[in-house]
Amino acid sequence: MWNQFFLLEEYTGSDYQYVGKLHSDQDRGDGSLKYILSGDGAGDLFIINENTGDIQATKRLDREEKPVYILRAQAINRKTGRPVEPESEFIIKIHDINDNEPIFTKEVYTATVPEMSDVGTFVVQVTATDADDPTYGNSAKVVYSILQGQPYFSVESETGIIKTALLNMDRENREQYQVVIQAKDMGGQMGGLSGTTTVNITLTDVNDNPPRFPQSTYQFKTPESSPPGTPIGRIKASDADVGENAEIEYSITEGEGLDMFDVITDQETQEGIITVKKLLDFEKKKVYTLKVEASNPHVEPRFLYLGPFKDSATVRIMVEDVDEPPVFSKLAYILQIREDAQINTTIGSVTAQDPDAARNPVKYSVDRHTDMDRIFNIDSGNGSIFTSKLLDRETLLWHNITVIATEINNPKQSSRVPLYIKVLDVNDNPPEFAEFYETFVCEKAKADQLIQTLRAIDKDDPYSGHQFSFSLAEAASGSNFTIQDNKDNTAGIFTRKNGYNRHEMSTYLLPVVISDNDYPVQSSTGTVTVRVCACDHQGNMQSCHAEALVHPTGLSGALIAILLCIVTLLGKLLLPASYLPMLRGTHCYCGSLDLSASPIKAYSLI
């Protein structure tokens, strides 16, 4: 009967290591029984004396490779080969010795901790393992200690947790630390085995440094011609922090040029770029003094006790004089002149002067590309504008020209200004019919019947609007028609009698005088052609052609036609000159006429 055997690992003796003895109560000592061993390592690692049952280990054993061996023993009758009792199982347990040093899970650890951390702030935990038996003695009991890294860091002996041990460690003074940690078994006692690891610790940045200008005053120069947005110079405040803790915002807080300049931050270099905000003028101000402030946008509240995280510097900007072109007194000029103005009439003047301190004299000229017809001219000395040709408002109401001012001493310096000249209206055009009027009257028309409404137009544009009046010309004083002025720039033509005969007179020509109400009064005479037509009961025109007639006195048709032509020609001679254009194109055919083919047309001025 047995439970287990114990065997010491790493045996170094020259003989086989004795393990134990097996014995059966059936064994009488007469050599009739034989012991047999089977199981883990039987016959190789472990051998048994078949007569005595003594077990020995033939090799050096390592508990860390295999801590337990399970074997089976049996006693058999040597003669019959039969077991004298059932097979039994037993265990050989390898006793541990401290033959393994602690090994860290990493050869090198990397860790970070914020700078200025409080004492005892957690950094990282290291772990070492020991292959020895933790249940037997202290061979696997590990204790941690710090070999390198004091007084900055410490390690908890049982957990391997590394913590900060020094107050106010400043990254700006030292950023990298190398700490060596030892793990020792046997609870750290003498004779224990040990292993080490390296921990590289980096202090991460916190915003504990305000920006600082390296100098209190900066000075820059810029020409007065610099357009808005032009960079003048760069300033930079230094900040010992890194990353977003070193980001800087610049601003102009006060100074004479608060509205003339701006400052922006270069995100890559963290420099402040001074730029022009508005146009400069050397003649108005030559020097500007600004106060520029640099501040951290990301502030650590726990370090505010160190003071404001900002700094300021003075920036002096000197404006340099530039030879500038002449400057007109206005951005644009608007002048007016009557259209009846005589040549060389002065319209107005423009003024320009050199803005530089030298005040160089200026001469004026007209850009002929804007006045191709040379209608206007300018006095090169005083800038007076005058006419060179007669004007007509009805042809062109506005003249848009450009005037050039050039420095006499430096012709390269010139400037231009638009000049808008409005031509004012003069009543120099008579009113005329809005269209050519040709109407008809029914043979059975009644007196005072409206047959046509007249309208007039006028190229002029009086300030108070058009006010036309209509009347019949004196030559038509005994006309068969009357005209009525409606006092609204229209007039109506009315019949004067009852009934018309197209055989007696097929066409009437009414000369109408149209006058305006401006000064001086302008008038013209227009002609309205009225044909006599046959109409139905509703007054709708049916036919306006006269039938062929034979005069009762026996006059031939040809003679009648000749007489009518003579009457028509005399009528032309008697009409006013303004009426003649209306009759252009009227033809009289006084030769032989075929009266049966063409009706006779008679024209009357009354």
Side-chain angles (χ1 to χ4, degrees):
M1 299 290 294
W2 62 86
N3 291 322
Q4 61 184 6
F5 294 107
F6 293 93
L7 185 64
L8 193 66
E9 71 169 331
E10 304 292 348
Y11 172 71
T12 58
S14 57
D15 298 329
Y16 289 165
Q17 187 178 2
Y18 182 77
V19 178
K21 184 181 181 66
L22 300 179
H23 183 73
S24 172
D25 56 4
Q26 299 293 325
D27 188 358
R28 297 184 177 85
D30 56 3
S32 62
L33 295 183
K34 181 172 71 172
Y35 293 95
I36 298 174
L37 189 65
S38 63
D40 291 341
D44 180 18
L45 285 179
F46 303 101
I47 59 175
I48 188 169
N49 188 314
E50 62 181 17
N51 296 319
T52 63
D54 291 322
I55 301 174
Q56 291 179 305
T58 63
K59 295 181 180 179
R60 186 176 177 181
L61 301 177
D62 186 354
R63 188 202 68 85
E64 285 70 43
E65 290 183 5
K66 190 172 179 66
V68 175
Y69 293 85
I70 301 174
L71 295 101
R72 293 178 298 280
Q74 192 173 32
I76 62 174
N77 186 290
R78 192 180 289 271
K79 291 180 180 182
T80 63
R82 294 179 179 178
V84 297
E85 59 179 87
E87 186 180 59
S88 299
E89 185 180 87
F90 68 96
I91 296 173
I92 298 176
K93 186 174 183 181
I94 310 302
H95 265 315
D96 183 48
I97 65 172
N98 189 21
D99 60 342
N100 292 280
E101 73 277 1
I103 298 176
F104 284 93
T105 56
K106 294 181 181 179
E107 291 184 5
V108 178
Y109 289 82
T110 302
T112 60
V113 65
E115 64 172 329
M116 309 299 288
S117 294
D118 295 333
V119 173
T121 300
F122 174 85
V123 179
V124 69
Q125 184 176 18
V126 296
T127 303
T129 59
D130 195 313
D132 294 320
D133 189 357
T135 65
Y136 182 76
N138 293 325
S139 298
K141 186 176 182 181
V142 177
V143 173
Y144 300 94
S145 62
I146 185 167
L147 300 183
Q148 176 184 313
Q150 294 175 324
Y152 308 104
F153 300 95
S154 64
V155 62
E156 290 184 353
S157 60
E158 295 183 0
T159 63
I161 294 176
I162 300 173
K163 299 180 179 180
T164 57
L166 189 64
L167 189 65
N168 296 332
M169 284 192 291
D170 193 354
R171 184 200 66 83
E172 288 72 39
N173 292 332
R174 182 178 175 182
E175 184 176 8
Q176 301 288 340
Y177 294 85
Q178 191 173 74
V179 178
V180 178
I181 301 296
Q182 181 189 70
K184 191 174 183 180
D185 59 15
M186 298 298 291
Q189 297 177 9
M190 290 289 292
L193 302 178
S194 65
T196 60
T197 188
T198 300
V199 183
N200 293 323
I201 301 175
T202 302
L203 296 185
T204 57
D205 187 58
V206 298
N207 192 9
D208 59 339
N209 292 280
R212 289 287 180 263
F213 282 106
Q215 59 194 73
S216 60
T217 304
Y218 294 83
Q219 189 163 300
F220 301 106
K221 295 180 181 179
T222 186
E224 63 176 330
S225 58
S226 299
T230 301
I232 298 173
R234 291 173 174 252
I235 59 176
K236 185 175 183 180
S238 58
D239 193 318
D241 298 317
V242 294
E244 71 171 16
N245 296 322
E247 291 180 3
I248 299 175
E249 288 182 348
Y250 296 89
S251 60
I252 299 175
T253 57
E254 58 183 75
E256 303 160 327
L258 194 61
D259 59 337
M260 301 299 294
F261 301 94
D262 202 357
V263 60
I264 58 176
T265 301
D266 187 325
Q267 297 300 329
E268 292 185 3
T269 64
Q270 295 301 309
E271 293 176 302
I273 306 173
I274 309 294
T275 62
V276 177
K277 190 175 181 180
K278 291 184 178 181
L279 291 175
L280 304 171
D281 190 346
F282 172 83
E283 286 69 36
K284 290 183 178 179
K285 192 169 182 60
K286 301 176 177 60
V287 179
Y288 292 89
T289 302
L290 311 174
K291 184 179 180 181
V292 179
E293 185 176 87
S295 60
N296 286 143
H298 308 286
V299 178
E300 190 83 21
R302 64 192 180 102
F303 296 117
L304 289 177
Y305 72 92
L306 297 176
F309 277 69
K310 62 180 66 176
D311 194 18
S312 61
T314 300
V315 178
R316 288 171 55 84
I317 301 173
M318 290 179 289
V319 181
E320 296 177 323
D321 190 24
V322 174
D323 190 7
E324 300 173 90
V327 177
F328 283 94
S329 60
K330 296 180 180 179
L331 297 177
Y333 291 84
I334 300 177
L335 303 177
Q336 295 180 340
I337 184 171
R338 286 168 56 94
E339 64 176 320
D340 61 350
Q342 298 300 311
I343 296 176
N344 292 328
T345 299
T346 299
I347 306 172
S349 63
V350 298
T351 304
Q353 64 178 7
D354 181 12
D356 299 315
R359 298 296 183 193
N360 292 322
V362 173
K363 65 177 181 179
Y364 303 93
S365 61
V366 174
D367 183 352
R368 290 305 173 190
H369 291 93
T370 63
D371 184 26
M372 301 290 288
D373 296 329
R374 294 181 175 270
I375 299 174
F376 303 96
N377 214 333
I378 190 171
D379 189 305
S380 62
N382 61 24
S384 297
I385 310 293
F386 55 90
T387 59
S388 298
K389 292 183 179 179
L390 296 176
L391 304 172
D392 183 11
R393 187 201 70 87
E394 286 70 42
T395 302
L396 188 59
L397 175 62
W398 284 93
H399 294 267
N400 303 329
I401 66 175
T402 299
V403 175
I404 305 172
T406 306
E407 288 186 19
I408 295 177
N409 298 338
N410 186 5
K412 293 183 178 180
Q413 294 294 343
S414 64
S415 56
R416 309 161 74 87
V417 70
L419 177 61
Y420 308 107
I421 301 173
K422 183 178 182 181
V423 181
L424 301 178
D425 187 43
V426 172
N427 193 31
D428 57 350
N429 291 280
E432 55 190 20
F433 281 139
E435 57 185 282
F436 174 74
Y437 289 104
E438 184 177 29
T439 187
F440 73 93
V441 62
C442 294
E443 287 184 303
K444 296 180 181 180
K446 302 297 183 182
D448 297 325
Q449 181 179 331
L450 176 66
I451 62 171
Q452 182 67 52
T453 299
L454 305 178
R455 290 178 176 81
I457 57 174
D458 193 331
K459 294 180 180 178
D460 294 318
D461 186 17
Y463 178 77
S464 58
H466 292 296
Q467 297 180 18
F468 302 131
S469 60
F470 301 83
S471 62
L472 289 175
E474 292 182 2
S477 58
S479 172
N480 291 290
F481 302 91
T482 61
I483 189 168
Q484 178 180 314
D485 193 336
N486 297 326
K487 306 300 181 181
D488 61 355
N489 293 333
T490 65
I493 297 178
F494 292 84
T495 57
R496 193 172 185 179
K497 64 179 184 177
N498 294 323
Y500 295 83
N501 190 337
R502 59 192 169 114
H503 301 294
E504 294 178 358
M505 186 67 67
S506 65
T507 303
Y508 295 90
L509 301 177
L510 297 180
V512 178
V513 178
I514 313 167
S515 302
D516 57 27
N517 195 33
D518 209 347
Y519 179 82
V521 174
Q522 298 285 347
S523 63
S524 67
T525 301
T527 300
V528 179
T529 302
V530 182
R531 291 184 298 161
V532 181
C533 302
C535 302
D536 58 17
H537 294 292
Q538 284 75 32
N540 298 317
M541 179 179 66
Q542 291 181 330
S543 174
C544 297
H545 297 290
E547 298 175 354
L549 299 176
V550 178
H551 200 274
T553 59
L555 291 174
S556 69
L559 181 59
I560 294 173
I562 293 172
L563 292 175
L564 289 175
C565 285
I566 294 173
V567 171
T568 301
L569 292 175
L570 290 175
K572 287 186 178 182
L573 295 176
L574 294 174
L575 290 176
S578 60
Y579 176 69
L580 292 178
M582 302 300 295
L583 297 180
R584 289 174 185 168
T586 303
H587 303 283
C588 288
Y589 298 94
C590 300
S592 298
L593 299 176
D594 184 354
L595 298 180
S596 63
S598 300
I600 298 174
K601 292 185 178 181
Y603 294 89
S604 172
L605 298 178
I606 56 175

